Amino acid sequence: MTEDLRAAALESKAWPYEEARKLLKRYPDGKPGGAPILFETGYGPSGLPHIGTFNEVLRTTMVRNAFHALSDQPTRLIAFSDDMDGLRKVPDNVPNKAMLAEHLGKPLSRIPDPFGTHESFAAHNNARLRAFLDAYGFDYEFASSTDYYADGRFDDALKAVLRHYQAILDVMLPTLGADRRATYSPVLPVSPKSGIVLQVPVEVVDADAGLIAFEDDGERITQTILGGHAKLQWKVDWAMRWVALGVDYEMAGKDLIDSVTQSSKICRVLGGRPPEGFNYEMFLDEKGEKISKSKGNGLSIEQWLTYGSPESLAFFAYREPKKAKSLHMGVIPRAVDEYWQFRANYPTQGVKERLGNPVHHIHDGKLPEGTLPVTFGLLLNLVSVMGEATAEQVWGYLANYVPDATPEAYPELDRLIGYAIAYGRDFVAPTLVKRAPDAVERAALERLDAELAALPADADAETIQNIVYEIGKAQFDGSGGFETLRDWFKALYETLLGSSQGPRMGSFIALYGIANSRRLIAEALAR
């Protein structure tokens, strides 16, 4: 760690550094006893993990990395799964819904896996999340609520909840409606009869022994809350976990601001100090609705990675965390290209500028080597015009445009070609509708064809772009031609590519090849 970098990090306005400085203020002399600064993320495995779940781990990791730039104190990151939660409703995007419905109310870790691959529904969803976090290379420790409740790691904190039972009620009851207040309990016993997590009033029998009493199907039951025989209401659970584990940093969605407030109060009641953190805005689907595990709306991690790189997903998550963003298939191409634009800028930037560059936080300042000689958008235009394209065929066209174009020379481009072929096939090609040119457009296309015919086959993109520009400029002369140059470019996209928008035409024609581009023009003129 250079002094210049640390000095710049102490002043940087990049949000991970602003967050990391909260921890420096929290422990100006280090955490007592040299204990690691503890970062936590939470996941409710009531449905398949979505990008919002990954997003929280990614952003927390960025803050953790930023803290490493500011301090030599050790850190840990725990990814905590709330798999003791009772299943409230059956998700829309899973098989065997009828089977799951038979287990409503039971802890997620005690419900059979509807996919038939793991010992429980929670285990399946936990494995899905861990597989991606591991593939992405996150440094984290996975923690299961079921394990922590069952093996005694929460016992002392659970007894403290019983000792401060009334004080916790005093925090929570004013926030609840009359009906909810009548049945609310900070502790949720697991029924010894049905296995369901019960929402019933509870009497503290012996706080030091962890004993409570409650009514279960007309019978008074006295039962321990230890060993997985009960769990806490989630706001109380959150606070208890902060205290039991010593959590120093946890971020949460904007929809949980009130929950953070109440959990922080309970944390203090239990003698703890609430963690630092901030509230991020939510991801929205195409309809502007919050993405949900149970609905399965928005994008899955797997879907994004079918059509875009992991780096592009990280870039999308990094940008403007306090601004709501639509998360749908249409955002992937832009995220891919913007990631590469920032990556291309990084080598020539000074230290201060680098710390504000998203790619610095995506790669923790250790950028991989490699450049991208064409944009992802241009690749999409190429594969969409080609129809059923193979990677080998795309590389053949790239030879028109990129010297020494081989997968070995440009491995990252080779990876993007695979994404482009998949995205073009599934989302671009089905929408393309090429229209016939009108009289003005026809004349301009005929001139473009003649100009291209006079060029050598290896004419560069800039030469071709100048020709395209001059033709449109000549037609924009007030004598019945195009009203604006934009109309000319739009005509090229709609008649040649079948889209209302498209690439820089000089680059596209150079990439696709003059002969192939002239065939596109001939097809348009024949309509």
Side-chain angles (χ1 to χ4, degrees), residues 371-374 379 395 398 402 410-418:
T371 59
L372 195 66
V374 297
L379 281 178
W395 276 111
L398 285 167
V402 181
Y410 296 99
E412 300 222 45
L413 177 57
D414 191 47
R415 195 162 52 111
L416 287 188
I417 288 173

Side-chain angles (χ1 to χ4, degrees), residues 180 184-188 199 231-237:
R180 188 79 178 93
Y184 178 83
S185 167
V187 178
L188 305 177
Q199 300 265 358
K231 75 172 299 293
L232 302 181
Q233 287 278 5
W234 86 268
K235 293 176 186 177
V236 184
D237 184 276

Side-chain angles (χ1 to χ4, degrees), residues 155-156 159-160 162-163 204-211 226:
D155 282 1
D156 289 343
K159 293 174 184 177
L162 296 187
R163 293 189 194 100
V204 177
V205 175
D206 187 335
D208 291 333
L211 292 178
L226 310 179

Side-chain angles (χ1 to χ4, degrees), residues 204-372:
V204 177
V205 175
D206 187 335
D208 291 333
L211 292 178
I212 59 170
F214 56 94
E215 187 172 295
D216 183 7
D217 194 24
E219 180 183 356
R220 179 179 168 85
I221 303 288
T222 299
Q223 180 172 292
T224 180
I225 67 170
L226 310 179
H229 292 286
K231 75 172 299 293
L232 302 181
Q233 287 278 5
W234 86 268
K235 293 176 186 177
V236 184
D237 184 276
W238 207 8
M240 178 276 296
R241 198 160 75 218
W242 290 343
V243 174
L245 302 180
V247 176
D248 297 305
Y249 189 90
E250 182 163 6
M251 59 179 65
K254 189 177 180 180
D255 58 334
L256 297 181
I257 289 177
D258 289 342
S259 300
V260 171
T261 299
Q262 302 309 318
S263 294
S264 295
K265 291 178 181 178
I266 295 168
C267 179
R268 294 186 183 96
V269 166
L270 295 174
R273 181 182 182 184
E276 310 299 326
F278 81 106
N279 297 105
Y280 55 81
E281 263 289 5
M282 310 309 294
F283 285 155
L284 309 175
D285 65 12
E286 287 181 284
K287 299 177 182 178
E289 298 177 353
K290 173 189 168 184
I291 62 173
S292 161
K293 291 188 296 292
S294 59
K295 289 183 181 179
N297 59 335
L299 294 186
S300 70
I301 297 167
E302 292 84 357
Q303 283 175 314
W304 186 296
L305 296 182
T306 299
Y307 304 107
S309 62
E311 297 87 356
S312 65
L313 173 55
F315 177 86
F316 184 81
Y318 173 85
R319 300 294 300 277
E320 301 176 305
K322 295 190 176 183
K323 178 180 178 182
K325 292 186 287 189
S326 294
L327 178 62
H328 52 81
M329 287 296 177
V331 307
I332 295 177
R334 181 176 178 181
V336 173
D337 274 335
E338 289 189 344
Y339 161 78
W340 276 98
Q341 289 169 13
F342 279 95
R343 182 163 155 180
N345 293 338
Y346 191 82
T348 60
Q349 291 178 323
V351 172
K352 186 180 296 185
E353 289 73 24
R354 283 185 174 187
L355 298 191
N357 188 323
V359 300
H360 179 85
H361 302 277
I362 292 168
H363 298 288
D364 192 21
K366 298 177 280 288
L367 270 67
E369 295 182 359
T371 59
L372 195 66

